[in-house]
Structure formats: C-alpha cells, structure tokens
Amino acid sequence: MNLVINLVISAVVLVFSGQVIAAEKLAVLTADKQVISEESSYALAQESSQATSNARVVKKYKTKGRTSATNQYPTSDQHTNQGRKHGSGQGQSLAKTTLAEKTNTNGNSEGSAKQIKPLLTLVAIDQKPPPSVSPAGQWLNKGFTWIDDWFIDKEVKPWQKAKLAEPVMLPGGVAPVMKKFSSKIYISKAATLGGDGVAGGGCGCK
Amino acid sequence: MNKKIKISVLGCTAISAGLAQAEQVLSLHQMQYQEDDDRIKVADTSLALKLDFGVDYSLDLSLGYDSVTGASPTWQIANTTGLSGTELEQGQAMTDETLLGYAHDVSQYQIKRVPLEDTRKSAAASLTVRDSYRNEWSFGLAHSKESDYKSNSVSASYLMFLDKGKNRSVNIGLAYLNDETLVFGTGYQSRTEEKIQVINFETGLTQVLSPTSIFDLKLFFNHDNGYLSNHYLTILRGIDLNEDNIITDDEYFLAADSRPDVRNGYGTKLSYSTQFWSWLTGQFSYRYYQDSWSIKSHTVSASLSFEVFDGLFITPEYVRYQQSQADFYLNPNVKEPYFSASGEGSNDTRLGDFSADTYGLTVSYQVNNEWQLDLSVNRYQQTNQFAASWAVLGVNYRF
C-alpha cells in the first residue's frame, strides 16, 4: 500500500518538477549518480520534498523506454546564465531550470548534459500571461471599485458566464432583429430617441 | 498555489477560445405594419448577413426595402375654388414663415387625409475589430434613400473591458448623419433641398452582477441641426393683413409646419437582464429623455422569455411610454388651433402630450443548428386615439 502511495506521489512530483525528472534522466543516462554535485542535490531537495523517491522514478522511466531522448537543449552562455539565475531563485522558477543547466553551472558534467533533452518543462506555465486588461482600462477601473464594494458579493469567474452568454440574455433576446423593427416604429410615432446605440441611418419618417 | 492559478487562467482561456466560435448568420425578415382607420401601411423587408472572421473580426451587412402607402391627416383647404393668389403673396410678404395656401374663410380649412406613397431603400455595414485585450472597435456606414429624403451616416464606437474577469466594461460611441430633404416652397410652387445634420453621442457602463444577471447604464446626447420641420404637415397662421390688430376669419393662412433649427436632446437608459431559472429570463429597462424643445419622456419596458422546450422561446413584452409636449406644439383639435404670423408652430401629434402602450409577443423556434424561425405580433395604442399593429416574420440560417 505504501508503495502505491509513494508511486502516486512520485507521479505528481514528476508533473510539477521538471528538475526532478531531468535529474533522474541524467542519472539514468550516465549511470553515475555522483555526477550530481552535493550543491545541486541540495537545491533539488529544496524544490521537492520527494527527492527520496528518485529511485522509483528512475525505474519508471526505464520501464517506459524513454531513455532514448537526445539533447536539443540550448547551451549558450546566455542560457547558462539564465540557469544560474534560476538556480539561485529559492526554487520559485522551477520550470526553466533543468538539471542540464544545473550541471553546466557546476561544470562537472557538461558533456553529459548536452545529451539531455528534458521530457517536460513548464516554461509556458511559468511565463506570465499577457495582461488581460489594457492600461487605460486598468486606470479607468480605479474609478469604479466602489461598485464592487456596494453591489458585488462575489466576483463572477469566466467559467460561470455560460448563462450570461446565452442569446436570450443579450439585448433583444433570441430575436434581436425584432427590436430594430419596433425601434423604427417608435422613432416614427414618438418624438424621442436614444440609448440604443449610435449605429444606424436616418429616416424621413421622423 | 501560484501555479494553480496560472493553470486555471490558461484553462479558462482555452475554454473561452473554444466557445467563441466563428458563426455566420444570414437572416431575412419582413414586417407588415398597419395603422387603424386605414391610414398608413408599411411593408418592410430586411436582409442581414453577419460574418465572423475568426474571433477578432465581425462584419454585419444589411439591406432594407420598405414601402409606405396610405394617407396622413393634416390641414388642407376644403374647397379650392375661389382661392386668391393676391392675399397669399400679401401674407407671405408679412412673414418669414412659408405660407402654402389661402382661403377666404377660416371654415374652409379642414383636417384631411393627404395620400402618400413612398419607398425607402437602405444599406448598412458595420465592422467590429477586437484587440488582444478583447476590447472592441466598431465602425459603421449607413445609407438610405427615399423619393424626398436621403441619409448618409458614419459611426464609430469603442468597448473597453476594465477588469480581468471581463465583468465590467465601458463603451463610447459617436455617429454623424448628413441628411437631405426636399421641402415645399410658397404655395407648393417649388421644392428646395434642405440639409439636416445629426450628431449622436453615447457612453455607458456594463456590469456583470452575478452568473445570471447583468446591468447596463447608458448616457446619450443628440444634436440635430438644420431643417427639422415636417414639410408634409401644415398649420394655420393668422396674419393681420389690414393691420387693424384684429384677426378676422379671412385672415388665416395655410402654412408649413415650423420647428426650431436646432435640437439638443439627452438622457439615460438603465437596463437589467436576469435569468430567474434556466427556462425563464427577464429583461427590464427604463429610459429618460429630455430636449431643448421641452419634451420629456419616460419609457419602461419589460419582457419575459420562456423556453417552453429546447429551442422554443415565447417572449411577451410590454412597453409603457409617456412624453410631454414641445413648447411650440398646439393640439389641432382645440377650438382655435391658430398660430401667429411668425414663430415656430406645429400640430404634429407626435410632438404632443401623450402616453402609449405596446403589447408584444415574440415566438422564436430553433429548428436545428442551422435554421431559426421568428414571429412577432405587436399592438400599439396612444392615448390620443392613434393605434397601430404590426407583425414580423423571419428566418435565420447559420452556417
């Protein structure tokens, strides 16, 4: 039972820790765990409390036959510098830092690291998503925060808007063209107009 | 934790992108409108095409053709024999307003129905562009032509989201209309081309209140400038031809409807939509309007959409409208509906003090993923004895 739990935990670690994965790959490929310096091992241990399950992860990789990966990972100085930077980031930038970079940084196993291609990197997740609100929108929103305080109990999340997106909720409902016809009649039979958008043409019926 | 949030955001973006599929819709609708007492009949046909190019561009195109037949009531001279052009010229020399006829006795002026027949052809196009923030720019062009009226307009509007959840947005829009109309001259002897220029400005705020309700606030301003009178409508003016300070029965003239050349109107509209249950949705709105002609109006509307079964919506609607009269308006049914020799004046009941109720019922049925049928019947009643009915039948094809 404990073995199963450990395997599950190891799988979770596998998903969220590219460094652990790379570390075990490196260990498999080189068949020499001494390549990992004490310093890099310490960093890895900081980033994953499951470092003790490395052996099981290694076994998993062996059985899945994924040891044929070849290294296409950049080894330029710039990238190496990025690796150093990430390596000293208290584990916050987990994704971009693979063991390949760590070993390059240490200078102990450069030749081996060049042959490593990480199976999983979380670069896309680690990157900040583009801002979803324009700077002008953000600035303008400061003037409307009182609405949140007074009227909004809980912010509506994007995945909660299915009903709001239904045609029946849109102005004019499921048949918005009916609104256009009736508006035309109201304009020609009363003396007022406005509030329904600016688009549209003139009419002698007014 | 931070990663989880990021993953959630990415997931939602993917879902949103999946939902925002491009859709093309071709629709054809026709309205039959008829006023009580067999006054005016209108047949209005509209063909519209909505094209989505990916999720960043939308193009709306529409063509319209409507024909108007019937008769409209206005002051006329009952017996055209014995008219004198001399008095008409004499009276015209004493006023800047347009005089159209003269009868020797005021009793000869009667409100009669004047036959009219016209067609209106219109075309409009609107392009919507969405930027990386999903804010929207919309640009519109419209053109319409009648036998005596021509209109060209250009519009632009911008919708900007204010928060990450896209729950709050502001919009701002501006339109410019450049219209031309043919106007009758003295004694119906000539027609001149007059200009009308209109600027419409609108801004608003839309706020999502809950997963099932949304609120919208709009402020609008209209500026009309040019020939704003109705050259088909007439009034009676008393002109003291012999300058004895008394208007006698032989000193009344048939004159053109005359309104100020400038009109500034403004107001606000509040809208609220909510889904009570998955099968019942309500839309409610209130609009207040006021202008420089002293007209004030209130409009309240409410509609409930029942989804009887999947794809079939039945929507009853009620609209209550109330307006006060323009300061130059005179009810044509009062005992002495006469205007002075100069100054604005109109007997157009649309500028009067009245209320109106509209009862509507719309049935919309989505036959399948491609076809949707729409039917609407409406009854409109004013407190000044005017009433009309209209029905719209249409079909939409999605592809």
Side-chain angles (χ1 to χ4, degrees), chain A residues 132-133 141 148 151-161 164, chain B residues 162-168 207-211:
Chain A
S132 58
V133 183
N141 196 39
D148 298 326
F151 300 105
I152 311 299
D153 289 336
K154 198 174 178 182
E155 182 190 4
V156 179
K157 302 296 182 185
W159 58 87
Q160 294 177 307
K161 294 184 180 177
L164 295 173
Chain B
L162 302 189
D163 64 330
K164 287 189 290 186
K166 304 281 187 277
N167 291 325
R168 184 179 300 141
Q207 174 70 53
V208 171
L209 299 176
S210 75

Side-chain angles (χ1 to χ4, degrees), chain A:
Chain A
M1 187 62 184
N2 287 336
L3 178 64
V4 174
I5 293 172
N6 282 334
L7 282 174
V8 171
I9 294 171
S10 300
V12 173
V13 172
L14 182 69
V15 171
F16 288 102
S17 176
Q19 288 178 323
V20 172
I21 295 167
E24 300 310 326
K25 281 177 60 187
L26 182 64
V28 170
L29 290 173
T30 59
D32 182 7
K33 290 186 180 179
Q34 298 303 318
V35 171
I36 306 173
S37 68
E38 287 182 3
E39 183 184 347
S40 60
S41 295
Y42 177 72
L44 290 173
Q46 274 193 320
E47 291 161 2
S48 169
S49 62
Q50 298 299 318
T52 54
S53 64
N54 286 350
R56 294 188 183 92
V57 177
V58 170
K59 185 178 180 183
K60 187 175 181 180
Y61 268 80
K62 279 182 178 176
T63 55
K64 292 212 171 190
R66 295 184 183 176
T67 56
S68 60
T70 56
N71 179 38
Q72 295 178 353
Y73 210 78
T75 56
S76 66
D77 291 338
Q78 183 183 1
H79 212 140
T80 304
N81 290 334
Q82 279 185 349
R84 286 199 185 100
K85 187 178 177 183
H86 285 290
S88 60
Q90 285 87 36
Q92 289 181 358
S93 298
L94 178 64
K96 284 185 178 177
T97 309
T98 66
L99 189 65
E101 292 166 316
K102 284 185 178 294
T103 51
N104 278 341
T105 305
N106 295 330
N108 294 332
S109 58
E110 190 172 288
S112 300
K114 281 183 179 176
Q115 297 174 6
I116 296 171
K117 176 186 177 185
L119 285 181
L120 177 64
T121 59
L122 299 181
V123 173
I125 295 176
D126 194 51
Q127 286 175 344
K128 286 186 177 178
S132 58
V133 183
S134 63
Q138 292 178 25
W139 177 81
L140 205 55
N141 196 39
K142 293 175 184 173
F144 293 102
T145 52
W146 58 272
I147 295 177
D148 298 326
D149 300 333
W150 288 11
F151 300 105
I152 311 299
D153 289 336
K154 198 174 178 182
E155 182 190 4
V156 179
K157 302 296 182 185
W159 58 87
Q160 294 177 307
K161 294 184 180 177
K163 291 182 177 178
L164 295 173
E166 289 178 8
V168 72
M169 286 290 287
L170 302 177
V174 290
V177 70
M178 301 300 178
K179 209 81 172 176
K180 292 183 180 176
F181 283 110
S182 55
S183 294
K184 201 169 166 182
I185 290 167
Y186 295 146
I187 287 170
S188 66
K189 295 303 165 192
T192 62
L193 65 89
D196 292 320
V198 294
C203 179
C205 57
K206 287 194 290 184

Side-chain angles (χ1 to χ4, degrees), chain B residues 291-356:
Chain B
D291 67 24
S292 57
W293 292 359
S294 299
I295 295 175
K296 295 177 183 175
S297 77
H298 304 271
T299 310
V300 178
S301 73
S303 70
L304 292 172
S305 281
F306 297 87
E307 189 171 14
V308 181
F309 56 81
D310 193 24
L312 178 66
F313 289 88
I314 296 179
T315 308
E317 183 181 23
Y318 172 70
V319 180
R320 173 73 175 176
Y321 176 81
Q322 185 272 325
Q323 79 170 40
S324 61
Q325 69 178 45
D327 50 16
F328 52 87
Y329 168 79
L330 198 56
N331 189 327
N333 298 315
V334 298
K335 190 176 180 182
E336 293 184 344
Y338 312 126
F339 291 91
S340 59
S342 60
E344 291 96 13
S346 177
N347 289 143
D348 188 350
T349 54
R350 297 178 296 184
L351 300 178
D353 184 358
F354 70 89
S355 299

